[in-house]
Amino acid sequence: MTNQSVIFFDIDGTLLNHEKELPLSTKKAIFKLKEEGHIIAIATGRAPFMFEDLRRELDINTFISYNGQYVVLNGEVLYTNPLNISSLEKLTEAALLNNHPVVFMDHEDMRANVPEHEYIKESIDTLKIGRFPTHDALYYKGRDLYQSLLFCPVGAENQYERDFKDFDFIRWHPVSVDVLPRGGSKAKGIEKIAEKLGIPEENLFAFGDGLNDMEMLLTVKNSVAMGNAEKKVKEAARYVTKSVEDDGIYHGLQMVGLL
């Protein structure tokens, strides 16, 4: 391949395995792509401060965070799409009545509306990022927030989906869902980067495994689902590679002709 491509990688379950480790084969593959002049980007639901170490390790300065709501190109903010704060305040009030905590997130930090809760610890623990949200019930006031976390059991988000039409709710853990601006997605972030760089759709690639990757996989022409993805995520992609635990990124890059 002689034309420059942009390859977008999800983090959890895609770049990182289930122990939150970066497989050696993945790291070697990414640096090989960079040597050949391709652009490597991250597309994640995580906040920017949750994957700084990974960006440094892979020398990546273009990324889509918060599922498309905070997009950075070559180290500069390209696009933001904050939450509706008035609606978020009402959501938080409703969640409190149900003992469902909320975490507010901007590009620098995350703060919880309650001092502590078992759901927060249980879900954030799985990310292995070495930090937890501190308590500030009014953190949403006077600032742009790009995503919130609503902590509730599976199925409990259905009521919030009916009552709060300004938001999309995407489950990422048995006790937590991402709260996004309605219609926001990784696909929108990819569109912004491709438009800015003038990259044609045939030179865009995306790898993912989660429910929050589905629109990205449906939209990007050369999309690859990981072998560890759920069935409906695999069905959204053009290709399906091996599991992240089985050198899935390396294998997938070979499948699409990049390696």
Side-chain angles (χ1 to χ4, degrees), residues 8 10-11 51 66 72 88 90 151 217 234:
F8 296 88
D10 171 54
I11 293 179
F51 58 102
Y66 286 135
V72 170
L88 181 62
K90 293 182 176 67
F151 298 84
L217 296 176
K234 292 177 180 177

Side-chain angles (χ1 to χ4, degrees), residues 220-236:
V220 174
K221 187 172 183 178
N222 303 297
S223 60
V224 185
M226 304 299 290
N228 46 279
E230 292 184 23
K231 181 181 177 183
K232 60 183 176 181
V233 177
K234 292 177 180 177
E235 291 172 348

Side-chain angles (χ1 to χ4, degrees), residues 1 3 10 13 20 34 61-62 65-66 88 113 124 128 142 152 155 168 187 204 223 239 241 245:
M1 178 177 290
N3 294 329
D10 171 54
K20 304 305 177 187
K34 289 164 71 73
N61 55 15
T62 293
S65 62
Y66 286 135
L88 181 62
N113 70 327
I124 299 294
K128 297 187 177 182
C152 61
D168 286 331
L204 298 176
S223 60
Y239 304 95
T241 184
E245 307 287 354

Side-chain angles (χ1 to χ4, degrees), residues 10-12 42-55 63-72 103-111 124 127 129 131 133 139 145-149 172 178 180 186 212:
D10 171 54
I11 293 179
D12 300 288
I42 285 172
T44 181
R46 291 190 181 209
F49 54 83
M50 290 182 176
F51 58 102
E52 291 175 334
D53 289 348
L54 182 62
R55 297 203 305 272
F63 61 86
I64 294 163
S65 62
Y66 286 135
N67 290 306
Q69 316 323 308
Y70 193 85
V71 179
V72 170
V103 165
F104 310 115
M105 311 177 82
D106 62 10
H107 62 295
E108 294 179 326
D109 205 355
M110 57 180 172
R111 303 290 177 88
I124 299 294
L127 296 175
I129 57 175
R131 65 189 286 180
Y139 194 69
L145 302 178
Y146 304 104
Q147 184 169 287
S148 284
L149 301 177
W172 65 275
D178 293 330
L180 310 175
K186 295 181 182 183
N212 62 338

Side-chain angles (χ1 to χ4, degrees), residues 1-254:
M1 178 177 290
T2 56
N3 294 329
Q4 184 181 56
S5 294
V6 186
I7 306 101
F8 296 88
F9 294 99
D10 171 54
I11 293 179
D12 300 288
T14 301
L15 283 179
L16 300 185
N17 64 24
H18 297 101
E19 298 301 317
K20 304 305 177 187
E21 299 167 337
L22 178 69
L24 182 59
S25 63
T26 298
K27 185 172 183 177
K28 288 181 175 179
I30 285 175
F31 277 99
K32 177 66 173 174
L33 292 173
K34 289 164 71 73
E35 287 172 9
E36 294 181 358
H38 299 302
I39 298 170
I40 306 301
I42 285 172
T44 181
R46 291 190 181 209
F49 54 83
M50 290 182 176
F51 58 102
E52 291 175 334
D53 289 348
L54 182 62
R55 297 203 305 272
R56 281 194 292 269
E57 183 174 0
L58 296 176
D59 190 25
I60 292 174
N61 55 15
T62 293
F63 61 86
I64 294 163
S65 62
Y66 286 135
N67 290 306
Q69 316 323 308
Y70 193 85
V71 179
V72 170
L73 175 63
N74 296 323
E76 300 292 333
V77 177
L78 175 65
Y79 169 76
T80 62
N81 183 32
L83 293 162
N84 181 304
I85 296 300
S86 176
S87 295
L88 181 62
E89 185 173 20
K90 293 182 176 67
L91 168 65
T92 303
E93 291 169 357
L96 270 175
L97 296 176
N98 297 321
N99 190 30
H100 294 158
V102 174
V103 165
F104 310 115
M105 311 177 82
D106 62 10
H107 62 295
E108 294 179 326
D109 205 355
M110 57 180 172
R111 303 290 177 88
N113 70 327
V114 295
E116 59 182 16
H117 195 285
E118 60 181 327
Y119 285 176
I120 297 178
K121 181 175 185 349
E122 180 182 340
S123 55
I124 299 294
D125 257 344
T126 65
L127 296 175
K128 297 187 177 182
I129 57 175
R131 65 189 286 180
F132 285 87
T134 54
H135 177 221
D136 184 349
L138 300 179
Y139 194 69
Y140 64 89
K141 290 184 176 290
R143 70 182 75 242
D144 285 337
L145 302 178
Y146 304 104
Q147 184 169 287
S148 284
L149 301 177
L150 171 65
F151 298 84
C152 61
V154 173
E157 69 272 26
N158 295 339
Q159 182 63 49
Y160 298 105
E161 290 173 349
R162 289 191 291 269
D163 293 344
F164 298 95
K165 301 299 186 182
D166 285 339
F167 304 131
D168 286 331
F169 298 83
I170 302 177
R171 185 161 292 279
W172 65 275
H173 186 276
V175 297
S176 186
V177 295
D178 293 330
V179 181
L180 310 175
R182 173 72 74 179
S185 71
K186 295 181 182 183
K188 293 284 178 64
I190 289 174
E191 179 184 308
K192 297 294 182 182
I193 289 176
E195 183 180 278
K196 182 70 174 180
L197 294 176
I199 300 290
E201 65 174 10
E202 59 267 24
N203 286 20
L204 298 176
F205 296 79
F207 287 71
D209 75 300
L211 297 176
N212 62 338
D213 295 315
M214 285 186 63
E215 187 166 349
M216 173 178 77
L217 296 176
L218 284 166
T219 303
V220 174
K221 187 172 183 178
N222 303 297
S223 60
V224 185
M226 304 299 290
N228 46 279
E230 292 184 23
K231 181 181 177 183
K232 60 183 176 181
V233 177
K234 292 177 180 177
E235 291 172 348
R238 183 175 180 182
Y239 304 95
V240 178
T241 184
K242 296 180 180 180
S243 166
V244 63
E245 307 287 354
D246 192 24
D247 299 323
I249 292 294
Y250 182 82
H251 181 72
L253 290 168
Q254 287 185 317

